[in-house]
Amino acid sequence: MFAMVAARLGAPVTAMDDLLNDFLAETSEILAEAGGALVAWEADPADRERLDAIFRFVHTIKGSSGFLSLPRVTALAHAAEDALDQVRRGQRQADAALVTAVLGIVDRLSDLCAALGTQGSEPAGDDSAVIAALASTGSAPVAPAESAAEPARSDAEADDLSVDLQAWRSIRVPLPLLDSVMTGVTDIVLARNEFSRMLRESGADASLVASFDRLSDSIAAMRQSVSHMRMQRIDKLFAPLPRIVRDLAQDLGKKVEFSATGGEVELDREMMENIRDPLIHIVRNALDHGIEPLDQRVAAGKSVTATLSVSARQSGNQIEIEVRDDGRGLSPDALAAKAIASRILTAAEARALSPKDKLELIFRPGFSTAAKVTSVSGRGVGMDIVKANLERIGGIVELRNEEGRGLAIVLRVPMTLTIISGLMVRAAAQYFAIPRGAVREILLENSDSVRIDRVGGGELVTVRGEQFPLLRLETILDCDVDESDDADERAIVIVRPGQGLSYAISVAAIHDHEELVIKPAAPPIMATGLYAGTTLPDNGRPVLLLDVQGVMAAAAIDASESGRAAAGAGEAEDAAASVRDAAQLLLFRDIDQRLRGVRLSVIERVEEVPVLALFESAGQVRAQIGEQIFPVHADRLPDTQGTVKLLRLHDGRAVLCYPIDAVIDIVRLPDAVQPAATPGLIAGVVLVGGEPVEVIDPFWLMERYAPVAASLVETRQPLCTLAGDQDGWGDNFLAPLLRQAGYRVAGSDEAGGERPDVMLCLADDPAQCGVAGDDVPMIRLRASLEAAASDEESVYRYDRQALLEALRRRVGGGRAA
């Protein structure tokens, strides 16, 4: 393996120029490898591994060019990817014509990269002929691709061109040579530290100290330069992500808030190159698969604006990069079902998997959760490559899943040899180092601004009104306090191991800050989780570097910064409770383009249905959604085509659909509401962001539509049995009426063992109907208009209202016809 060292010439360039230069260097390497791989694959088309490698080459170019807005490069790579994917899926035969056509794509991409290096932007041109050649099944060679570069230049312009080309040229240095240089610099730093100690102890004169200081500055500059050859701030890895998130979110119609933290963490340059593509793939997956469409987020009670964060931190001898979203997360059962459908697993194998094993299915080659193939995802290429790339450099991928609430994917890569600034401390007669970047504050334990209290089995230190969990380093290390330590020198170091975390460490004494060369310690020492490595300071005695995150984990303390301030803690809790209890308002644009809102708690979901699902019946607009019919608050059917969004308002029993144009956001319902003068659709007006919003009155809506809505709700329908139906009148005339009124109808011998709610006797003689049962009421229907006797309890068979009233009194349920 080799590492790239960019040879920059000329004036400084912007961040986007850096990204373009990196893309050109990377793409040139890929294209060089792809050409040879294509020729070798042509000789052996059955070589699946080589085909997969070629496919990944063009897949990488497509993904990298997408966020740099290079449409020609993206289109060419995507076309080649499609053709190669057809071969991978057995839908196309590999032949010479295909290889020639893909080589034509490679040549055109090389020309475009050359033009990008000279012009700084993608030149205009037509690639349709090159792309169309991929569809050819013949063996005729494809015409050479036209050059994308500009016409020949003059000699003077050629000189300028040679300078421009240097902006993205790179040289390759063998890693062993870089390691040798780094080791040499490490030895120089250690020697400098030792010489510094000797000067302090010898009491050297000022001129000698001044000369040493100049030498020390030169060593520091050289160390920094050499370190930058191998190490790199991780914020360069994060630089393209905001643009990727922005563009892809717009393409997908999603609102996403992106954040990146931990950019100051340094990572080995080679490792950064190895995780660049996996990180981009994970971010794109989170946007495409993880974060739900707007309507689904509203239905789940989430904010319309999704959050996607990328963070980096040092943990022990590893660097952790976490990509977290608040989307739908992963469903283990759904992943297993998809794997069965894709024939990756059998049903028996899937049943034997644990939930964790089911989540690991996303790392299977060829597995994809996408419903269809797009330019974003869906080919089953990605997470298996992510895992393979991480494992190749000694890293791992970890999933932290909350189904329905989000997913975090953590990439862990080892921390290589590095030089950091450290704080030297003493405890139990031993010296330890704390990374200077994690130190927030240093105080003497007997300072007037420090108060230590025992709470339960632990200690809390209060510094200027802010409380921190206090850990004594001797206790963490399971060592005794050295009796020779001076109590007046005892100090407290407040450390911040990560964003939103802080705690305090009590040590016997504080010593100097030093530049420390960090190397991995012995495996048994690293296995404790308390140390990030070992170092050799200027006194020549090996010192262990504390892992502030590992110390916190070993002590099992809550180092959260929220709510630690003693002053105003009660007010903060009250304010937090007020925010939690506040009603939320869903803002939407009505079909008449008015800005309106409704309490989120009354909304069951937001449904997008075809306009054809709406129909009019008995003067009322209704919507058929699946097997159910709901009333719609509308005077007439929409006169548009396509789809319509419906707010489904639910009162616990009935549903009413309210058509809207678009969902805007979810906000806190302001306390100040200007009520409407009279009851109606609008309950009042509030100000949201300085703009007036009409608030819908759900009580008025449900009051108006409740009878219709309730009639459409699926409830248990009372069972009526018909007895004595000798002439079939009950089946032909009575049963349709009863079913329309909300009752189930069965013959006396058709109830299937279910207890009827009422028996209707149709015979003139009640004895012919048999016995209904002690707890089953009976209603006798007579054929004559007038009753035979004044005390006879029967209902004329054609008296609709009397029959339904009798049923209501004896049974309940049903509805008026």
Side-chain angles (χ1 to χ4, degrees):
M1 298 295 295
F2 297 91
M4 293 190 299
V5 183
R8 304 281 185 183
L9 296 179
V13 293
T14 64
M16 185 54 70
D17 291 333
D18 289 336
L19 294 175
L20 179 60
N21 293 336
D22 291 343
F23 166 76
L24 290 172
E26 178 188 25
T27 304
S28 296
E29 174 190 358
I30 290 175
L31 292 175
E33 293 183 20
L38 277 165
V39 174
W41 177 59
E42 183 179 19
D44 184 12
D47 189 345
R48 178 58 186 255
E49 290 186 2
R50 197 177 298 276
L51 171 60
D52 289 343
I54 299 168
F55 178 84
R56 289 168 190 157
F57 286 151
V58 294
H59 185 76
T60 299
I61 295 174
K62 185 192 76 170
S64 301
S65 64
F67 65 82
L68 285 173
S69 297
L70 303 174
R72 290 185 65 187
V73 174
T74 303
L76 287 163
H78 186 59
E81 184 187 50
D82 276 339
L84 293 170
D85 190 52
Q86 290 174 8
V87 179
R88 294 170 74 238
R89 295 176 180 272
Q91 300 171 352
R92 180 171 182 176
Q93 189 69 27
D95 53 25
L98 174 62
V99 173
T100 303
V102 177
L103 285 172
I105 294 286
V106 171
D107 291 341
R108 178 59 58 88
L109 289 172
S110 298
D111 292 339
L112 286 175
C113 287
L116 279 166
T118 59
Q119 303 172 24
S121 61
E122 191 177 63
D126 182 12
D127 305 310
S128 58
V130 181
I131 295 176
L134 290 168
S136 173
T137 58
S139 58
V142 177
E146 60 175 339
S147 174
E150 291 184 340
R153 300 169 179 248
S154 64
D155 292 341
E157 290 174 323
D159 292 339
D160 294 337
L161 172 60
S162 65
V163 174
D164 292 337
L165 284 172
Q166 298 298 322
W168 64 275
R169 283 181 178 171
S170 302
I171 62 172
R172 296 192 173 278
V173 178
L175 277 180
L177 179 58
L178 262 185
D179 289 339
S180 175
V181 173
M182 196 68 171
T183 301
V185 173
T186 298
D187 293 340
I188 293 174
V189 171
L190 294 176
R192 190 263 321 260
N193 292 344
E194 184 178 2
F195 191 25
S196 174
R197 177 178 58 82
M198 295 172 63
L199 284 177
R200 288 197 304 269
E201 295 174 351
S202 65
D205 57 35
S207 60
L208 182 58
V209 172
S211 298
F212 173 78
D213 287 343
R214 288 194 299 273
L215 174 63
S216 182
D217 291 341
S218 298
I219 293 174
M222 180 178 65
R223 191 270 302 170
Q224 185 176 13
S225 298
V226 174
S227 178
H228 286 171
M229 294 170 61
R230 184 67 185 258
M231 305 298 293
Q232 197 171 47
R233 282 173 57 98
I234 211 165
D235 54 7
K236 185 174 182 181
L237 182 67
F238 293 168
L241 298 181
R243 176 67 182 276
I244 294 175
V245 173
R246 175 183 176 274
D247 293 348
L248 189 53
Q250 288 182 345
D251 293 342
L252 298 173
K254 298 177 180 179
K255 293 185 177 181
V256 181
E257 180 180 347
F258 176 76
S259 63
T261 57
E264 70 281 357
V265 175
E266 287 194 341
L267 184 63
D268 185 282
R269 181 184 295 269
E270 183 190 7
M271 290 190 176
M272 191 174 296
E273 293 301 324
N274 277 278
I275 66 175
R276 184 187 306 276
D277 289 341
L279 179 63
I280 291 174
H281 183 88
I282 291 172
V283 169
R284 291 167 68 87
N285 262 7
L287 287 164
D288 192 25
H289 300 310
I291 295 175
E292 313 95 326
L294 184 146
D295 295 347
Q296 295 180 20
R297 291 186 63 83
V298 172
K302 298 181 180 180
S303 171
V304 172
T305 301
T307 59
L308 177 62
S309 63
V310 178
S311 60
R313 69 179 182 88
Q314 180 182 330
S315 177
N317 63 337
Q318 293 181 323
I319 301 296
E320 286 189 4
I321 301 175
E322 180 185 79
V323 181
R324 178 180 294 274
D325 66 74
D326 66 344
R328 58 169 64 94
L330 294 174
S331 169
D333 292 337
L335 292 175
K338 183 71 174 180
I340 294 172
S342 303
R343 298 183 179 180
I344 295 176
L345 289 178
T346 65
E349 291 172 334
R351 285 193 296 270
L353 295 178
S354 66
K356 183 178 184 297
D357 292 334
K358 291 177 181 178
L359 291 179
E360 297 289 329
L361 288 172
I362 68 170
F363 298 117
R364 294 287 186 95
F367 184 85
S368 174
T369 59
K372 60 181 180 179
V373 175
T374 68
S375 60
V376 179
S377 60
R379 299 180 187 278
V381 178
M383 292 309 295
D384 60 323
I385 306 304
V386 168
K387 185 177 182 181
N389 286 349
L390 265 293
E391 290 177 346
R392 188 167 58 248
I393 58 174
I396 60 173
V397 185
E398 178 184 341
L399 301 177
R400 298 173 183 172
N401 181 54
E402 293 182 82
E403 187 174 352
R405 299 179 59 184
L407 173 69
I409 299 180
V410 180
L411 311 180
R412 299 178 188 269
V413 295
M415 182 181 68
T416 56
L417 181 70
T418 185
I419 302 175
I420 67 170
S421 177
L423 173 68
M424 301 298 297
V425 301
R426 190 178 79 244
Q430 300 181 54
Y431 287 89
F432 299 90
I434 299 176
R436 184 65 183 87
V439 176
R440 174 174 165 179
E441 190 174 357
I442 303 172
L443 308 99
L444 288 176
E445 194 167 301
N446 57 8
S447 171
D448 294 337
S449 59
V450 174
R451 188 182 81 245
I452 299 176
D453 303 299
R454 291 200 65 84
V455 179
E459 290 182 296
L460 284 178
V461 58
T462 303
V463 180
R464 294 184 297 278
E466 190 172 1
Q467 291 183 333
F468 303 91
L470 177 62
L471 304 177
R472 298 192 178 273
L473 189 53
E474 293 90 346
T475 303
I476 294 296
L477 301 176
D478 196 20
C479 297
D480 296 329
V481 176
D482 188 0
E483 296 180 356
S484 64
D485 289 340
D486 188 347
D488 292 336
E489 291 185 0
R490 195 156 191 94
I492 290 176
V493 182
I494 299 177
V495 298
R496 178 175 289 168
Q499 191 70 24
L501 300 172
S502 290
Y503 67 95
I505 298 178
S506 174
V507 297
I510 298 291
H511 292 268
D512 294 336
H513 294 276
E514 293 189 21
E515 283 190 334
L516 305 173
V517 179
I518 306 301
K519 298 180 179 180
I525 295 177
M526 301 301 295
T528 64
L530 298 176
Y531 307 105
T534 183
T535 184
L536 192 68
D538 58 11
N539 60 14
R541 296 177 57 187
V543 168
L544 290 170
L545 176 69
L546 292 175
D547 176 6
V548 291
Q549 185 80 22
V551 169
M552 181 186 71
I557 58 172
D558 180 8
S560 171
E561 291 180 353
S562 60
R564 263 201 234 104
E571 291 81 355
E573 177 59 29
D574 292 341
S578 176
V579 171
R580 290 194 300 268
D581 297 337
Q584 291 182 300
L585 191 70
L586 175 71
L587 295 183
F588 61 89
R589 190 76 60 184
D590 212 334
I591 54 176
D592 58 4
Q593 299 305 304
R594 289 178 179 270
L595 183 60
R596 288 177 172 167
V598 65
R599 286 175 178 266
L600 184 64
S601 57
V602 304
I603 297 176
E604 183 183 44
R605 71 182 67 172
V606 180
E607 195 99 38
E608 186 166 358
V609 301
V611 172
L612 295 177
L614 275 60
F615 64 95
E616 189 171 357
S617 175
Q620 171 66 54
V621 178
R622 305 173 191 257
Q624 179 182 353
I625 303 176
E627 299 298 324
Q628 294 179 296
I629 296 176
F630 302 106
V632 179
H633 174 68
D635 296 329
R636 63 182 184 279
L637 292 172
D639 54 3
T640 59
Q641 302 295 324
T643 61
V644 61
K645 288 185 174 66
L646 299 175
L647 295 181
R648 288 178 55 166
L649 280 62
H650 190 240
D651 67 353
R653 300 184 63 185
V655 173
L656 170 65
C657 295
Y658 188 101
I660 65 171
D661 179 64
V663 173
I664 304 299
D665 205 348
I666 297 176
V667 298
R668 179 182 178 274
L669 177 64
D671 297 327
V673 180
Q674 182 66 38
T678 58
L681 175 64
I682 306 302
V685 180
V686 296
L687 288 176
V688 177
E691 189 172 357
V693 176
E694 295 180 336
V695 180
I696 298 296
D697 184 354
F699 186 92
W700 181 88
L701 274 172
M702 297 307 295
E703 178 188 23
R704 180 178 178 187
Y705 290 95
V708 179
S711 69
L712 298 174
V713 175
E714 287 190 8
T715 58
R716 183 189 177 276
Q717 297 175 315
L719 175 61
C720 301
T721 58
L722 305 182
D725 185 20
Q726 303 295 336
D727 54 5
W729 180 87
D731 283 340
N732 297 322
F733 288 84
L734 182 59
L737 170 65
L738 295 176
R739 292 190 179 101
Q740 184 180 5
Y743 297 91
R744 292 177 295 148
V745 181
S748 58
D749 57 348
E750 297 175 353
E754 181 180 356
R755 173 191 171 277
D757 294 276
V758 64
M759 175 183 285
L760 298 178
C761 179
L762 308 183
D764 293 334
D765 183 3
Q768 299 178 5
C769 295
V771 180
D774 295 338
D775 56 349
V776 178
M778 177 188 289
I779 300 175
R780 192 172 73 83
L781 302 184
R782 65 179 186 270
S784 59
L785 179 61
E786 297 293 339
S790 59
D791 60 347
E792 182 181 347
E793 292 187 4
S794 60
V795 177
Y796 176 48
R797 62 165 60 184
Y798 285 115
D799 191 341
R800 180 197 304 258
Q801 296 302 325
L803 171 59
L804 294 178
E805 178 63 22
L807 286 169
R808 187 190 64 79
R809 288 198 312 268
R810 289 171 170 79
V811 180
R815 60 176 186 266

